[in-house]
Amino acid sequence: MKENLLESGVRSSEDRGVLQYAPTHDTRLGTQTRVALTGNDAVALAFKQVDPDVAAVYPITPQTELMHKFADYVSNGEVHTELMLVESEHSAMSASIGASAAGARTITATSSQGLALMWEMLYIAASYRLPIVMVDVNRALSGPLNIHCDHSDTMGCRDTGLIQLFSENSQEAYDNTIQAFRIAEHPDVQLPVMVTLDGFIISHTVEALKVFDDEVVKAFVGEYEPLRSLLDTDNPITMGPLDLPNYYFEHKRQQVEAMERSRKVISTVGNEFEKISGRKYGFFEPYKLDDAELAIVLLGSTAGTAKDAVDLLREEGIKAGLLKLRVFRPFPGRQIIKALANVRAVGIFDRSISFGLEGGPLFNEVRSFAFESNFKMASFIYGLGGRDINVAQIRDVFLTLKEIKDTGRTDIPVQYIGLRE
Amino acid sequence: MTKTKTHPTINKAELPTWCELSGAVISAPGSSTCIETGTWRTYMPIRDAEKCIQCMRCWIYCPDSAIIVEDGKVVGIDYEHCKGCGICAKECTPKDKAIVMKEEIK
């Protein structure tokens, strides 16, 4: 079934940013088809529709099916992509760096240990300013060995210099993947972009989503014209030479600037994407936050469960709300605080841990911007190693927040949701 | 002796600010010759032209292309780039070495 979709799927968002750039790509509302796909298949389809030049990959659960599906597209001749089956994730990112430096539109995907093995190369991809688009299917890091979802892999590389986009469901994983190319390749940005989707919960779950015709995606991302290329023999350059104390610091400052400039680009691309899709994309999605007294902030697939919990509490007369963060890097701290300005108590959900630091990474990042705000905060760790979380547990969190609001307590220790205690 | 070339960024009196750099790339080819690696040296090779038998081994083995050759003959050492590794002296063929290492006098 095909339909034009301006009227459907539109969500509210307070943080729209300002559209500054004139559209350089086709931004007419595109034809969409409703299909049922797993998250992995949805991302593979987005990759197929973009038709990148090079993909360098190594299989790892739960990402494997993603590139398995993409390999089908390659084998069937549906894309022109050079698929490089390398011997490890370190090599996958290294090959991606080489391909991108040579001027190829380059993709890769991984999970967990694979991302950990890419670690040193992630810094290199970012510092060479290579617009690689990579997908991380979130999975807990070993050890002990675990294949299920948490965000410890993505959080571990939050300082590598990659832009990081989180997805609530297959639709957002598909949409984020398409937008990632425009963000990464923008002349003001030139940074690798990581799109994440929760392992198994999104990657292996079949969901209905709306997908574009191939040509709509191709028109949106446009032809890739690299700013510089090692294969451009008329303009020879060297990438990756020794960067001694007299230059390294300046290059790091440039990365800071690129990350800052990406904020405007992420907003602009989100706005242009809304025009072709009817779906809004900002730095975060506020859900029933306008008049909320209690709110939670979280990332990824748990937002769906949390929305149900918010609805339930609203029926009970409790003014609950949700802020679902989409962009973790660059971190929209000031906007988050602004969006939470009227909230009295906020629970920050982390699906990862920062050992030795009170509370999870997201909690600490939000708290670092909250020094002038009036709300009370508490840290909630949940879902590690794929531990399930349900509506009742999130409702309990809101009741804890209500107690914090009523008593003004600020000494609530870190809470572990669903832990046997 | 090879004269060090001038380079738009390396030999500037003041290094560029972070705003002036175009990413972490070197866009002017051959810029490594502009780096005076000779300043790293603690021992310097001294060549005696009269003892030299023109075997060219120093030229073959020098890792920094610091042996100056003109018309197929060794004529000197590029002290702007010689790091003083001593390989030339080690490889020097004559029993009574034509190249010997001497401590740098700063």
Side-chain angles (χ1 to χ4, degrees), chain A residues 228 236-239 241 247 250-251 253-254 257, chain B residues 9 15-16 18 21-27 29:
Chain A
R228 48 174 95 90
I237 54 167
T238 303
M239 274 193 193
Y247 278 94
E250 278 72 23
H251 289 138
R253 178 65 182 84
Q254 287 189 325
E257 188 70 7
Chain B
T9 55
L15 294 174
W18 68 268
L21 290 167
S22 61
V25 299
I26 295 173
S27 53

Side-chain angles (χ1 to χ4, degrees), chain A residues 174-192:
Chain A
Y174 172 82
D175 292 348
N176 278 336
T177 303
I178 295 167
Q179 292 175 65
F181 289 90
R182 288 281 302 280
I183 297 165
E185 294 164 6
H186 194 285
D188 283 356
V189 180
Q190 294 284 302
L191 288 173

Side-chain angles (χ1 to χ4, degrees), chain A residues 90-385:
Chain A
H90 189 282
S91 302
M93 185 44 71
S94 301
S96 297
I97 288 167
S100 186
R105 184 178 256 164
T106 306
I107 60 166
T108 187
T110 191
S111 292
S112 183
Q113 304 309 112
L115 185 60
L117 190 53
M118 284 183 181
W119 225 261
E120 60 169 342
M121 305 316 292
L122 296 176
Y123 283 88
I124 291 171
S127 65
Y128 290 7
R129 310 290 298 278
L130 299 173
I132 297 162
V133 172
M134 71 170 300
V135 169
D136 178 42
V137 184
N138 287 122
R139 165 185 152 181
L141 284 170
S142 286
L145 177 64
N146 183 293
I147 58 166
H148 291 279
C149 174
D150 72 30
H151 296 157
S152 52
D153 51 357
T154 305
M155 285 301 158
C157 63
R158 64 192 187 272
D159 287 341
T160 53
L162 272 68
I163 289 169
Q164 295 178 318
L165 309 176
F166 279 77
S167 316
E168 179 188 333
N169 47 39
S170 294
Q171 182 74 68
E172 292 191 3
Y174 172 82
D175 292 348
N176 278 336
T177 303
I178 295 167
Q179 292 175 65
F181 289 90
R182 288 281 302 280
I183 297 165
E185 294 164 6
H186 194 285
D188 283 356
V189 180
Q190 294 284 302
L191 288 173
V193 175
M194 171 190 283
V195 174
T196 77
L197 54 152
D198 286 353
F200 294 108
I201 300 165
I202 303 177
S203 69
H204 285 61
T205 307
V206 176
E207 275 186 293
L209 70 153
K210 288 156 187 163
V211 299
F212 296 107
D213 289 354
D214 291 2
E215 53 270 23
V216 176
V217 176
K218 284 192 174 60
F220 184 77
V221 298
E223 280 286 317
Y224 178 49
E225 286 169 22
L227 283 189
R228 48 174 95 90
S229 159
L230 288 176
L231 298 183
D232 179 4
T233 50
D234 292 332
N235 301 290
I237 54 167
T238 303
M239 274 193 193
L242 188 64
D243 206 23
L244 290 172
N246 53 354
Y247 278 94
Y248 183 89
F249 205 171
E250 278 72 23
H251 289 138
K252 292 294 123 181
R253 178 65 182 84
Q254 287 189 325
Q255 277 181 254
V256 172
E257 188 70 7
M259 197 54 104
E260 287 309 308
R261 289 186 183 190
S262 75
R263 294 177 193 273
K264 194 193 287 179
V265 175
I266 291 166
S267 291
T268 305
V269 171
N271 288 343
E272 289 188 18
F273 190 82
E274 185 188 346
K275 286 182 192 158
I276 67 161
S277 68
R279 295 183 289 278
K280 278 185 183 293
Y281 281 93
F283 282 86
F284 49 78
E285 180 200 350
Y287 184 76
K288 300 191 177 175
L289 206 54
D290 286 341
D291 63 339
E293 292 183 338
L294 314 172
I296 58 178
V297 179
L298 51 67
L299 293 155
S301 63
T302 309
T305 317
K307 285 172 184 172
D308 281 354
V310 167
D311 291 346
L312 187 68
L313 286 151
R314 288 278 172 169
E315 282 172 21
E316 296 173 16
I318 296 171
K319 288 183 176 175
L322 166 73
L323 190 151
K324 179 191 80 188
L325 189 57
R326 170 190 175 226
V327 183
F328 187 74
R329 283 289 183 275
F331 192 73
R334 289 184 183 84
Q335 294 100 308
I336 291 173
I337 299 305
K338 202 174 157 192
L340 297 173
N342 298 320
V343 177
R344 304 283 301 282
V346 181
I348 315 288
F349 277 39
D350 274 286
R351 202 165 195 154
S352 59
I353 265 182
S354 186
F355 298 106
L357 183 66
E358 187 189 318
L362 181 57
F363 172 72
N364 281 283
E365 309 244 354
V366 174
R367 185 165 64 173
S368 73
F369 284 90
F371 50 89
E372 285 180 339
S373 52
N374 295 319
F375 53 77
K376 304 279 186 282
M377 293 178 73
S379 173
F380 297 86
I381 310 277
Y382 77 103
L384 300 188

